[in-house]
Amino acid sequence: MYAYDEIDRTLVNERVSEFRDQVKRRLSGELTEDEFKILRLQNGVYLQLHAYMFRVAIPYGTLATNQLRALAHVARKYDRSYGHFTTRQNIQFNWIKLAELPDALEDLARVGIHAMQTSGNNMRNVTSDQWAGVAPGEIEDPRIWSELIRQHTTLHPEFSFLPRKFKIAITASDHDRAAIKIHDIGLKLIKNEKGETGFEVLVGGGLGRTPFIGKTIKHFVHGRDILSYIEAILRVYNQYGRRDNIYKARIKILVHELGIEKFSREVEEEWQHIRNSSLQIDDEVIEDIRSRFTYPAYEKLPHMPDELRQAAADADFEVWRKNSVAPHKVQGYSIVTISLKPIGAPPGDATADQMDALADLADKYSFGEIRVGHEQNLALPHVAKRDLPALWKALDKLGLATPNVNLITDIIACPGLDYCSLANARSIPIAQELTRRFANHELANLIGRLHINISGCINACGHHHVGHIGILGVEKNGEEVYQITIGGRADEGAALGNLIGPGVKFDEVADVIEDVVEAYLALRERPEELFIDTVKRLGVEPFKERVYATR
Amino acid sequence: MPLVNGGKIADDSFVKLAVDTPLPESGDVLVPAERFIAEADALLKRTGKVGVIWPNNRDIDELVPYLGRIAAVALVFPTFRDGRAYSQARLLRERYNYRGELRATGQILRDQFVFMLRAGFDSFEVKKQADAEAFMQTAKRYSVFYQPTGDGRITALHRRMQLRHSEGVGT
């Protein structure tokens, strides 16, 4: 965990007081809605279909239990007692009153949480691997660098009014859980041949109307130069990014229009001017940040405790364990993923009571720490294996032990037309129907790892392009129509999915997905061949045939 | 539009010239970029200060040869959501060491003052009188800064180092 000091707390409090003043000026009419819009967005406040929506940052996905309790408190006191975890390590509240927002922010500031730059055309919340610091085999804890970049990009005086939003993601593992290739800047922590820490830097990834997989702009940037290198990219983008057309304003378009070679030359030239400036990071500064991350005092525990051996007789426990428990870098411990995808419920939602109860469990079983991943699930990062059976029972009572992590019902979905003013189609009811269709765990397990991603509009908050199966809702002649893609992925092998054919109606989506899955089960070479690999081997055609032959 | 200069509401000595307004014999003038580049010699020879209004999509490298001889550069925010001039300001101050008046013009609201001050602006044509009056109060809103810029304010990272070292001395 990262501990805020007085300096960080002061900044957050000053921000809250500024926003309180801005809300006051808006309510008195001193600020027009057009002026206020930009300011509220920079504080995570959207005007949605029914009410204001409030998006709170969970930088690099790490939460302490007092922070989770504060989120529960906000849900209960200012909203309708639940929150929605998003694909960007944020939580959203859907029903908040504008006049109460400064109070909600103040309550969060007490525990070092804020909503700065969770929206707006500035550098957004820095995201990272939800298993950072505990995943076996990572180069080092990427959150140290995430925090450094978080600080540097917070209220940046040059880059708070960029052409469009700007997202940075960091991973330190070969298996990319941070989806760095679909971010404006993706950073992969690596060591060079001298054993020095640095980054492979990717640029220009992103989804939405014009999806791109990020391209490597530099194979190695030394850690001490990473802030100046990011600054160089942003300065080039701020000056040359398009502002004439909102749909062409993202950095991916600039990189695409200039070509990665020309773009990287511009960045290189700018970087040479500033790389030896005060942006260069001293080792001492890095060590200071590193020292403010505290790690649990792990015990020396057996690899296979008796408690786990005994619990193995319980088939339900075993199903959950196989599905939700991942190896930890410390022997005797595990990482436990908590599915926020119960059958029939909106993906990513948690009630205030669940958040409070989960905080209690994290205190009891995970050294007071919780993680949030881009799949809209939570994780307890340091669970002793001997505690797994007890934890499972407790989670089950809370409705948080659905054994579907990475299976077909572990669906990523945006809020869609039920909440969002941008959406053209519903997402949540599609997700709900699909979870019911595939509720049978035996079947879901037989299908194996399969990610379905649903977006209710072209803006792609549900990351449909990179779903193994992607579902995009569009509006056609006043009707919701859904386009289905297959073969996308968001990990280290990131790829965009391909359309399987014409869009289908709302009522047909679940049937079509069933057809696609049946086709896969018939086409796979052996049970271990994942859906995504079968699609890669055979392409779209056989799936298209299966789906459209009878329609 | 009220002008804030040196932290206070001030009179503007500059007269803004259009591309084709006849050049007054004396007095301070602010001239559009294209006219300045075309008539630089004549403009710089006369008595009175010369300033230039530089659009946010024109490369400031063009202006660099004249920086030592001009009294003011006015950068433009056509809307407050267009942030190109922040980069231009930092380049002028930090890379080209420009020390004259650096003026923010266009849609300037109190909510940008801190960013603008940090980027190197010291003069502001403010859209609303109330915002101009709130300048000092707004400019002091933040006491913590995470990024180093040419304004020389100590960053949070370095303040922590100082604290750590001063604690070290006592022990």
Side-chain angles (χ1 to χ4, degrees), chain B residues 97-130:
Chain B
N97 217 19
Y98 172 66
R99 289 290 159 259
E101 177 181 336
L102 189 54
R103 182 182 292 198
T105 69
Q107 196 189 8
I108 311 300
L109 303 170
R110 77 174 79 173
D111 307 282
Q112 302 139 286
F113 289 155
V114 174
F115 293 134
M116 288 176 170
L117 284 163
R118 300 219 61 216
F121 289 99
D122 56 3
S123 156
F124 308 84
E125 281 181 23
V126 184
K127 199 177 149 201
K128 302 178 185 179
Q129 182 67 27

PDB file of all heavy atoms in Angstrom, chain B residues 97-130:
ATOM      1  N   ASN B  97      14.028  31.260 -22.692  1.00  0.00           N
ATOM      2  CA  ASN B  97      14.436  32.210 -21.675  1.00  0.00           C
ATOM      3  C   ASN B  97      13.823  33.591 -21.855  1.00  0.00           C
ATOM      4  O   ASN B  97      14.453  34.603 -21.536  1.00  0.00           O
ATOM      5  CB  ASN B  97      15.971  32.309 -21.703  1.00  0.00           C
ATOM      6  CG  ASN B  97      16.527  32.470 -20.318  1.00  0.00           C
ATOM      7  OD1 ASN B  97      15.832  32.149 -19.339  1.00  0.00           O
ATOM      8  ND2 ASN B  97      17.751  32.969 -20.223  1.00  0.00           N
ATOM      9  N   TYR B  98      12.634  33.640 -22.373  1.00  0.00           N
ATOM     10  CA  TYR B  98      11.959  34.919 -22.590  1.00  0.00           C
ATOM     11  C   TYR B  98      11.554  35.533 -21.252  1.00  0.00           C
ATOM     12  O   TYR B  98      10.922  34.876 -20.435  1.00  0.00           O
ATOM     13  CB  TYR B  98      10.734  34.711 -23.490  1.00  0.00           C
ATOM     14  CG  TYR B  98       9.874  35.930 -23.624  1.00  0.00           C
ATOM     15  CD1 TYR B  98      10.366  37.069 -24.273  1.00  0.00           C
ATOM     16  CD2 TYR B  98       8.595  35.980 -23.071  1.00  0.00           C
ATOM     17  CE1 TYR B  98       9.588  38.207 -24.379  1.00  0.00           C
ATOM     18  CE2 TYR B  98       7.810  37.107 -23.177  1.00  0.00           C
ATOM     19  CZ  TYR B  98       8.313  38.222 -23.823  1.00  0.00           C
ATOM     20  OH  TYR B  98       7.543  39.348 -23.924  1.00  0.00           O
ATOM     21  N   ARG B  99      11.915  36.784 -21.014  1.00  0.00           N
ATOM     22  CA  ARG B  99      11.674  37.404 -19.706  1.00  0.00           C
ATOM     23  C   ARG B  99      10.688  38.572 -19.742  1.00  0.00           C
ATOM     24  O   ARG B  99      10.431  39.205 -18.734  1.00  0.00           O
ATOM     25  CB  ARG B  99      13.011  37.874 -19.083  1.00  0.00           C
ATOM     26  CG  ARG B  99      13.887  36.721 -18.613  1.00  0.00           C
ATOM     27  CD  ARG B  99      13.275  36.043 -17.368  1.00  0.00           C
ATOM     28  NE  ARG B  99      13.784  34.700 -17.182  1.00  0.00           N
ATOM     29  CZ  ARG B  99      13.129  33.580 -17.509  1.00  0.00           C
ATOM     30  NH1 ARG B  99      11.932  33.634 -18.060  1.00  0.00           N
ATOM     31  NH2 ARG B  99      13.669  32.401 -17.306  1.00  0.00           N
ATOM     32  N   GLY B 100      10.171  38.886 -20.926  1.00  0.00           N
ATOM     33  CA  GLY B 100       9.195  39.986 -21.018  1.00  0.00           C
ATOM     34  C   GLY B 100       7.831  39.573 -20.499  1.00  0.00           C
ATOM     35  O   GLY B 100       7.664  38.502 -19.901  1.00  0.00           O
ATOM     36  N   GLU B 101       6.843  40.438 -20.747  1.00  0.00           N
ATOM     37  CA  GLU B 101       5.477  40.136 -20.314  1.00  0.00           C
ATOM     38  C   GLU B 101       4.928  38.968 -21.136  1.00  0.00           C
ATOM     39  O   GLU B 101       5.051  38.951 -22.361  1.00  0.00           O
ATOM     40  CB  GLU B 101       4.593  41.379 -20.509  1.00  0.00           C
ATOM     41  CG  GLU B 101       3.135  41.145 -20.151  1.00  0.00           C
ATOM     42  CD  GLU B 101       2.276  42.405 -20.374  1.00  0.00           C
ATOM     43  OE1 GLU B 101       2.814  43.534 -20.351  1.00  0.00           O
ATOM     44  OE2 GLU B 101       1.056  42.237 -20.587  1.00  0.00           O
ATOM     45  N   LEU B 102       4.334  38.016 -20.446  1.00  0.00           N
ATOM     46  CA  LEU B 102       3.707  36.889 -21.142  1.00  0.00           C
ATOM     47  C   LEU B 102       2.220  36.913 -20.780  1.00  0.00           C
ATOM     48  O   LEU B 102       1.853  36.677 -19.628  1.00  0.00           O
ATOM     49  CB  LEU B 102       4.360  35.570 -20.734  1.00  0.00           C
ATOM     50  CG  LEU B 102       3.961  34.332 -21.538  1.00  0.00           C
ATOM     51  CD1 LEU B 102       4.158  34.529 -23.030  1.00  0.00           C
ATOM     52  CD2 LEU B 102       4.788  33.130 -21.081  1.00  0.00           C
ATOM     53  N   ARG B 103       1.427  37.260 -21.766  1.00  0.00           N
ATOM     54  CA  ARG B 103       0.026  37.559 -21.502  1.00  0.00           C
ATOM     55  C   ARG B 103      -0.895  36.446 -22.013  1.00  0.00           C
ATOM     56  O   ARG B 103      -0.720  35.956 -23.122  1.00  0.00           O
ATOM     57  CB  ARG B 103      -0.327  38.884 -22.175  1.00  0.00           C
ATOM     58  CG  ARG B 103      -1.741  39.319 -21.926  1.00  0.00           C
ATOM     59  CD  ARG B 103      -2.081  40.602 -22.640  1.00  0.00           C
ATOM     60  NE  ARG B 103      -1.369  41.768 -22.107  1.00  0.00           N
ATOM     61  CZ  ARG B 103      -1.757  43.016 -22.332  1.00  0.00           C
ATOM     62  NH1 ARG B 103      -2.825  43.254 -23.086  1.00  0.00           N
ATOM     63  NH2 ARG B 103      -1.078  44.035 -21.839  1.00  0.00           N
ATOM     64  N   ALA B 104      -1.859  36.082 -21.186  1.00  0.00           N
ATOM     65  CA  ALA B 104      -2.881  35.118 -21.606  1.00  0.00           C
ATOM     66  C   ALA B 104      -4.094  35.897 -22.105  1.00  0.00           C
ATOM     67  O   ALA B 104      -4.608  36.757 -21.394  1.00  0.00           O
ATOM     68  CB  ALA B 104      -3.274  34.228 -20.429  1.00  0.00           C
ATOM     69  N   THR B 105      -4.520  35.599 -23.324  1.00  0.00           N
ATOM     70  CA  THR B 105      -5.687  36.282 -23.879  1.00  0.00           C
ATOM     71  C   THR B 105      -6.705  35.255 -24.383  1.00  0.00           C
ATOM     72  O   THR B 105      -6.363  34.107 -24.612  1.00  0.00           O
ATOM     73  CB  THR B 105      -5.311  37.190 -25.062  1.00  0.00           C
ATOM     74  OG1 THR B 105      -4.922  36.353 -26.157  1.00  0.00           O
ATOM     75  CG2 THR B 105      -4.174  38.121 -24.720  1.00  0.00           C
ATOM     76  N   GLY B 106      -7.922  35.726 -24.571  1.00  0.00           N
ATOM     77  CA  GLY B 106      -8.970  34.828 -25.049  1.00  0.00           C
ATOM     78  C   GLY B 106      -9.958  34.552 -23.932  1.00  0.00           C
ATOM     79  O   GLY B 106     -10.298  35.449 -23.167  1.00  0.00           O
ATOM     80  N   GLN B 107     -10.373  33.297 -23.829  1.00  0.00           N
ATOM     81  CA  GLN B 107     -11.326  32.963 -22.770  1.00  0.00           C
ATOM     82  C   GLN B 107     -10.558  32.595 -21.502  1.00  0.00           C
ATOM     83  O   GLN B 107     -10.216  31.437 -21.263  1.00  0.00           O
ATOM     84  CB  GLN B 107     -12.234  31.803 -23.200  1.00  0.00           C
ATOM     85  CG  GLN B 107     -13.456  31.709 -22.310  1.00  0.00           C
ATOM     86  CD  GLN B 107     -14.282  30.460 -22.558  1.00  0.00           C
ATOM     87  OE1 GLN B 107     -13.869  29.584 -23.298  1.00  0.00           O
ATOM     88  NE2 GLN B 107     -15.442  30.383 -21.929  1.00  0.00           N
ATOM     89  N   ILE B 108     -10.291  33.611 -20.695  1.00  0.00           N
ATOM     90  CA  ILE B 108      -9.486  33.405 -19.488  1.00  0.00           C
ATOM     91  C   ILE B 108     -10.385  33.509 -18.255  1.00  0.00           C
ATOM     92  O   ILE B 108     -10.974  34.555 -17.994  1.00  0.00           O
ATOM     93  CB  ILE B 108      -8.358  34.472 -19.393  1.00  0.00           C
ATOM     94  CG1 ILE B 108      -7.588  34.582 -20.713  1.00  0.00           C
ATOM     95  CG2 ILE B 108      -7.429  34.152 -18.223  1.00  0.00           C
ATOM     96  CD1 ILE B 108      -6.911  33.322 -21.176  1.00  0.00           C
ATOM     97  N   LEU B 109     -10.455  32.405 -17.517  1.00  0.00           N
ATOM     98  CA  LEU B 109     -11.290  32.347 -16.314  1.00  0.00           C
ATOM     99  C   LEU B 109     -10.418  32.052 -15.094  1.00  0.00           C
ATOM    100  O   LEU B 109      -9.302  31.546 -15.231  1.00  0.00           O
ATOM    101  CB  LEU B 109     -12.335  31.241 -16.458  1.00  0.00           C
ATOM    102  CG  LEU B 109     -13.253  31.354 -17.682  1.00  0.00           C
ATOM    103  CD1 LEU B 109     -14.078  30.086 -17.850  1.00  0.00           C
ATOM    104  CD2 LEU B 109     -14.161  32.565 -17.553  1.00  0.00           C
ATOM    105  N   ARG B 110     -10.937  32.321 -13.936  1.00  0.00           N
ATOM    106  CA  ARG B 110     -10.119  32.174 -12.717  1.00  0.00           C
ATOM    107  C   ARG B 110      -9.619  30.735 -12.519  1.00  0.00           C
ATOM    108  O   ARG B 110      -8.598  30.518 -11.907  1.00  0.00           O
ATOM    109  CB  ARG B 110     -10.892  32.644 -11.493  1.00  0.00           C
ATOM    110  CG  ARG B 110     -11.937  31.673 -10.993  1.00  0.00           C
ATOM    111  CD  ARG B 110     -12.565  32.145  -9.689  1.00  0.00           C
ATOM    112  NE  ARG B 110     -13.561  33.183  -9.950  1.00  0.00           N
ATOM    113  CZ  ARG B 110     -14.357  33.684  -9.003  1.00  0.00           C
ATOM    114  NH1 ARG B 110     -14.246  33.287  -7.760  1.00  0.00           N
ATOM    115  NH2 ARG B 110     -15.252  34.594  -9.292  1.00  0.00           N
ATOM    116  N   ASP B 111     -10.372  29.786 -13.062  1.00  0.00           N
ATOM    117  CA  ASP B 111     -10.026  28.384 -12.831  1.00  0.00           C
ATOM    118  C   ASP B 111      -8.751  27.951 -13.558  1.00  0.00           C
ATOM    119  O   ASP B 111      -8.262  26.852 -13.345  1.00  0.00           O
ATOM    120  CB  ASP B 111     -11.219  27.513 -13.230  1.00  0.00           C
ATOM    121  CG  ASP B 111     -12.486  27.991 -12.533  1.00  0.00           C
ATOM    122  OD1 ASP B 111     -12.643  27.684 -11.351  1.00  0.00           O
ATOM    123  OD2 ASP B 111     -13.268  28.735 -13.168  1.00  0.00           O
ATOM    124  N   GLN B 112      -8.231  28.814 -14.424  1.00  0.00           N
ATOM    125  CA  GLN B 112      -6.978  28.484 -15.122  1.00  0.00           C
ATOM    126  C   GLN B 112      -5.777  29.210 -14.525  1.00  0.00           C
ATOM    127  O   GLN B 112      -4.653  28.955 -14.946  1.00  0.00           O
ATOM    128  CB  GLN B 112      -7.062  28.893 -16.594  1.00  0.00           C
ATOM    129  CG  GLN B 112      -8.187  28.276 -17.378  1.00  0.00           C
ATOM    130  CD  GLN B 112      -8.806  29.316 -18.288  1.00  0.00           C
ATOM    131  OE1 GLN B 112      -9.527  30.201 -17.837  1.00  0.00           O
ATOM    132  NE2 GLN B 112      -8.509  29.236 -19.559  1.00  0.00           N
ATOM    133  N   PHE B 113      -5.997  30.151 -13.623  1.00  0.00           N
ATOM    134  CA  PHE B 113      -4.886  31.004 -13.186  1.00  0.00           C
ATOM    135  C   PHE B 113      -3.680  30.215 -12.682  1.00  0.00           C
ATOM    136  O   PHE B 113      -2.541  30.516 -13.014  1.00  0.00           O
ATOM    137  CB  PHE B 113      -5.335  31.975 -12.088  1.00  0.00           C
ATOM    138  CG  PHE B 113      -6.255  33.073 -12.556  1.00  0.00           C
ATOM    139  CD1 PHE B 113      -7.134  33.677 -11.669  1.00  0.00           C
ATOM    140  CD2 PHE B 113      -6.237  33.508 -13.884  1.00  0.00           C
ATOM    141  CE1 PHE B 113      -7.987  34.696 -12.093  1.00  0.00           C
ATOM    142  CE2 PHE B 113      -7.095  34.520 -14.320  1.00  0.00           C
ATOM    143  CZ  PHE B 113      -7.975  35.110 -13.407  1.00  0.00           C
ATOM    144  N   VAL B 114      -3.945  29.196 -11.859  1.00  0.00           N
ATOM    145  CA  VAL B 114      -2.814  28.459 -11.274  1.00  0.00           C
ATOM    146  C   VAL B 114      -2.004  27.774 -12.373  1.00  0.00           C
ATOM    147  O   VAL B 114      -0.771  27.850 -12.406  1.00  0.00           O
ATOM    148  CB  VAL B 114      -3.303  27.433 -10.228  1.00  0.00           C
ATOM    149  CG1 VAL B 114      -2.143  26.579  -9.736  1.00  0.00           C
ATOM    150  CG2 VAL B 114      -3.945  28.154  -9.052  1.00  0.00           C
ATOM    151  N   PHE B 115      -2.715  27.128 -13.295  1.00  0.00           N
ATOM    152  CA  PHE B 115      -2.015  26.467 -14.403  1.00  0.00           C
ATOM    153  C   PHE B 115      -1.200  27.485 -15.199  1.00  0.00           C
ATOM    154  O   PHE B 115      -0.063  27.240 -15.585  1.00  0.00           O
ATOM    155  CB  PHE B 115      -3.017  25.801 -15.354  1.00  0.00           C
ATOM    156  CG  PHE B 115      -3.760  24.639 -14.765  1.00  0.00           C
ATOM    157  CD1 PHE B 115      -5.139  24.531 -14.923  1.00  0.00           C
ATOM    158  CD2 PHE B 115      -3.100  23.647 -14.068  1.00  0.00           C
ATOM    159  CE1 PHE B 115      -5.836  23.456 -14.404  1.00  0.00           C
ATOM    160  CE2 PHE B 115      -3.791  22.561 -13.534  1.00  0.00           C
ATOM    161  CZ  PHE B 115      -5.161  22.470 -13.701  1.00  0.00           C
ATOM    162  N   MET B 116      -1.793  28.628 -15.468  1.00  0.00           N
ATOM    163  CA  MET B 116      -1.136  29.641 -16.293  1.00  0.00           C
ATOM    164  C   MET B 116       0.089  30.228 -15.597  1.00  0.00           C
ATOM    165  O   MET B 116       1.137  30.403 -16.210  1.00  0.00           O
ATOM    166  CB  MET B 116      -2.129  30.738 -16.656  1.00  0.00           C
ATOM    167  CG  MET B 116      -3.143  30.246 -17.662  1.00  0.00           C
ATOM    168  SD  MET B 116      -4.386  31.483 -18.032  1.00  0.00           S
ATOM    169  CE  MET B 116      -5.171  30.685 -19.438  1.00  0.00           C
ATOM    170  N   LEU B 117      -0.056  30.506 -14.321  1.00  0.00           N
ATOM    171  CA  LEU B 117       1.089  31.029 -13.569  1.00  0.00           C
ATOM    172  C   LEU B 117       2.243  30.031 -13.603  1.00  0.00           C
ATOM    173  O   LEU B 117       3.399  30.390 -13.783  1.00  0.00           O
ATOM    174  CB  LEU B 117       0.683  31.304 -12.118  1.00  0.00           C
ATOM    175  CG  LEU B 117      -0.161  32.567 -11.917  1.00  0.00           C
ATOM    176  CD1 LEU B 117      -0.851  32.530 -10.559  1.00  0.00           C
ATOM    177  CD2 LEU B 117       0.701  33.824 -12.042  1.00  0.00           C
ATOM    178  N   ARG B 118       1.901  28.756 -13.439  1.00  0.00           N
ATOM    179  CA  ARG B 118       2.932  27.729 -13.420  1.00  0.00           C
ATOM    180  C   ARG B 118       3.589  27.583 -14.790  1.00  0.00           C
ATOM    181  O   ARG B 118       4.750  27.221 -14.907  1.00  0.00           O
ATOM    182  CB  ARG B 118       2.342  26.384 -12.987  1.00  0.00           C
ATOM    183  CG  ARG B 118       1.714  26.409 -11.605  1.00  0.00           C
ATOM    184  CD  ARG B 118       2.014  25.146 -10.872  1.00  0.00           C
ATOM    185  NE  ARG B 118       3.433  24.983 -10.706  1.00  0.00           N
ATOM    186  CZ  ARG B 118       4.074  23.830 -10.747  1.00  0.00           C
ATOM    187  NH1 ARG B 118       3.412  22.721 -10.981  1.00  0.00           N
ATOM    188  NH2 ARG B 118       5.371  23.777 -10.578  1.00  0.00           N
ATOM    189  N   ALA B 119       2.820  27.824 -15.862  1.00  0.00           N
ATOM    190  CA  ALA B 119       3.373  27.710 -17.209  1.00  0.00           C
ATOM    191  C   ALA B 119       4.193  28.941 -17.587  1.00  0.00           C
ATOM    192  O   ALA B 119       4.888  28.927 -18.605  1.00  0.00           O
ATOM    193  CB  ALA B 119       2.249  27.495 -18.216  1.00  0.00           C
ATOM    194  N   GLY B 120       4.123  30.005 -16.796  1.00  0.00           N
ATOM    195  CA  GLY B 120       4.980  31.158 -17.057  1.00  0.00           C
ATOM    196  C   GLY B 120       4.255  32.454 -17.388  1.00  0.00           C
ATOM    197  O   GLY B 120       4.888  33.488 -17.587  1.00  0.00           O
ATOM    198  N   PHE B 121       2.925  32.443 -17.439  1.00  0.00           N
ATOM    199  CA  PHE B 121       2.188  33.685 -17.707  1.00  0.00           C
ATOM    200  C   PHE B 121       2.291  34.612 -16.496  1.00  0.00           C
ATOM    201  O   PHE B 121       2.266  34.158 -15.347  1.00  0.00           O
ATOM    202  CB  PHE B 121       0.704  33.388 -17.977  1.00  0.00           C
ATOM    203  CG  PHE B 121       0.456  32.718 -19.300  1.00  0.00           C
ATOM    204  CD1 PHE B 121       0.270  31.339 -19.373  1.00  0.00           C
ATOM    205  CD2 PHE B 121       0.412  33.460 -20.470  1.00  0.00           C
ATOM    206  CE1 PHE B 121       0.039  30.716 -20.592  1.00  0.00           C
ATOM    207  CE2 PHE B 121       0.183  32.846 -21.696  1.00  0.00           C
ATOM    208  CZ  PHE B 121       0.001  31.470 -21.764  1.00  0.00           C
ATOM    209  N   ASP B 122       2.373  35.917 -16.778  1.00  0.00           N
ATOM    210  CA  ASP B 122       2.362  36.876 -15.667  1.00  0.00           C
ATOM    211  C   ASP B 122       1.356  37.992 -15.900  1.00  0.00           C
ATOM    212  O   ASP B 122       1.265  38.932 -15.133  1.00  0.00           O
ATOM    213  CB  ASP B 122       3.763  37.458 -15.439  1.00  0.00           C
ATOM    214  CG  ASP B 122       4.346  38.104 -16.678  1.00  0.00           C
ATOM    215  OD1 ASP B 122       3.638  38.161 -17.711  1.00  0.00           O
ATOM    216  OD2 ASP B 122       5.502  38.546 -16.626  1.00  0.00           O
ATOM    217  N   SER B 123       0.587  37.854 -16.974  1.00  0.00           N
ATOM    218  CA  SER B 123      -0.365  38.897 -17.315  1.00  0.00           C
ATOM    219  C   SER B 123      -1.596  38.233 -17.935  1.00  0.00           C
ATOM    220  O   SER B 123      -1.468  37.252 -18.677  1.00  0.00           O
ATOM    221  CB  SER B 123       0.344  39.851 -18.278  1.00  0.00           C
ATOM    222  OG  SER B 123      -0.561  40.540 -19.073  1.00  0.00           O
ATOM    223  N   PHE B 124      -2.785  38.746 -17.585  1.00  0.00           N
ATOM    224  CA  PHE B 124      -4.015  38.020 -17.924  1.00  0.00           C
ATOM    225  C   PHE B 124      -5.115  38.980 -18.353  1.00  0.00           C
ATOM    226  O   PHE B 124      -5.462  39.883 -17.580  1.00  0.00           O
ATOM    227  CB  PHE B 124      -4.511  37.232 -16.692  1.00  0.00           C
ATOM    228  CG  PHE B 124      -3.444  36.362 -16.080  1.00  0.00           C
ATOM    229  CD1 PHE B 124      -2.535  36.910 -15.165  1.00  0.00           C
ATOM    230  CD2 PHE B 124      -3.325  35.027 -16.425  1.00  0.00           C
ATOM    231  CE1 PHE B 124      -1.528  36.129 -14.603  1.00  0.00           C
ATOM    232  CE2 PHE B 124      -2.322  34.240 -15.861  1.00  0.00           C
ATOM    233  CZ  PHE B 124      -1.418  34.796 -14.950  1.00  0.00           C
ATOM    234  N   GLU B 125      -5.615  38.799 -19.541  1.00  0.00           N
ATOM    235  CA  GLU B 125      -6.809  39.542 -19.957  1.00  0.00           C
ATOM    236  C   GLU B 125      -7.999  38.688 -19.565  1.00  0.00           C
ATOM    237  O   GLU B 125      -8.308  37.697 -20.218  1.00  0.00           O
ATOM    238  CB  GLU B 125      -6.812  39.767 -21.467  1.00  0.00           C
ATOM    239  CG  GLU B 125      -5.923  40.898 -21.907  1.00  0.00           C
ATOM    240  CD  GLU B 125      -5.984  41.102 -23.420  1.00  0.00           C
ATOM    241  OE1 GLU B 125      -6.985  40.708 -24.056  1.00  0.00           O
ATOM    242  OE2 GLU B 125      -5.006  41.637 -23.963  1.00  0.00           O
ATOM    243  N   VAL B 126      -8.638  39.046 -18.480  1.00  0.00           N
ATOM    244  CA  VAL B 126      -9.627  38.161 -17.868  1.00  0.00           C
ATOM    245  C   VAL B 126     -11.021  38.487 -18.397  1.00  0.00           C
ATOM    246  O   VAL B 126     -11.383  39.652 -18.576  1.00  0.00           O
ATOM    247  CB  VAL B 126      -9.579  38.304 -16.334  1.00  0.00           C
ATOM    248  CG1 VAL B 126     -10.536  37.314 -15.676  1.00  0.00           C
ATOM    249  CG2 VAL B 126      -8.153  38.073 -15.831  1.00  0.00           C
ATOM    250  N   LYS B 127     -11.791  37.455 -18.645  1.00  0.00           N
ATOM    251  CA  LYS B 127     -13.099  37.631 -19.269  1.00  0.00           C
ATOM    252  C   LYS B 127     -14.116  38.275 -18.321  1.00  0.00           C
ATOM    253  O   LYS B 127     -14.915  39.102 -18.730  1.00  0.00           O
ATOM    254  CB  LYS B 127     -13.613  36.253 -19.719  1.00  0.00           C
ATOM    255  CG  LYS B 127     -14.697  36.310 -20.751  1.00  0.00           C
ATOM    256  CD  LYS B 127     -15.068  34.885 -21.179  1.00  0.00           C
ATOM    257  CE  LYS B 127     -16.532  34.837 -21.568  1.00  0.00           C
ATOM    258  NZ  LYS B 127     -17.070  33.476 -21.502  1.00  0.00           N
ATOM    259  N   LYS B 128     -14.090  37.864 -17.063  1.00  0.00           N
ATOM    260  CA  LYS B 128     -15.092  38.373 -16.122  1.00  0.00           C
ATOM    261  C   LYS B 128     -14.430  39.228 -15.046  1.00  0.00           C
ATOM    262  O   LYS B 128     -13.421  38.821 -14.471  1.00  0.00           O
ATOM    263  CB  LYS B 128     -15.814  37.208 -15.428  1.00  0.00           C
ATOM    264  CG  LYS B 128     -16.514  36.243 -16.366  1.00  0.00           C
ATOM    265  CD  LYS B 128     -17.148  35.119 -15.546  1.00  0.00           C
ATOM    266  CE  LYS B 128     -17.737  34.076 -16.483  1.00  0.00           C
ATOM    267  NZ  LYS B 128     -18.332  32.961 -15.753  1.00  0.00           N
ATOM    268  N   GLN B 129     -15.062  40.356 -14.742  1.00  0.00           N
ATOM    269  CA  GLN B 129     -14.543  41.256 -13.714  1.00  0.00           C
ATOM    270  C   GLN B 129     -14.366  40.522 -12.381  1.00  0.00           C
ATOM    271  O   GLN B 129     -13.347  40.664 -11.705  1.00  0.00           O
ATOM    272  CB  GLN B 129     -15.516  42.433 -13.559  1.00  0.00           C
ATOM    273  CG  GLN B 129     -15.085  43.488 -12.552  1.00  0.00           C
ATOM    274  CD  GLN B 129     -13.836  44.264 -12.988  1.00  0.00           C
ATOM    275  OE1 GLN B 129     -13.563  44.401 -14.179  1.00  0.00           O
ATOM    276  NE2 GLN B 129     -13.047  44.732 -12.015  1.00  0.00           N
ATOM    277  N   ALA B 130     -15.353  39.697 -12.019  1.00  0.00           N
ATOM    278  CA  ALA B 130     -15.297  39.002 -10.726  1.00  0.00           C
ATOM    279  C   ALA B 130     -14.081  38.066 -10.667  1.00  0.00           C
ATOM    280  O   ALA B 130     -13.447  37.918  -9.623  1.00  0.00           O
ATOM    281  CB  ALA B 130     -16.575  38.210 -10.491  1.00  0.00           C
TER     282      ALA B 130
END
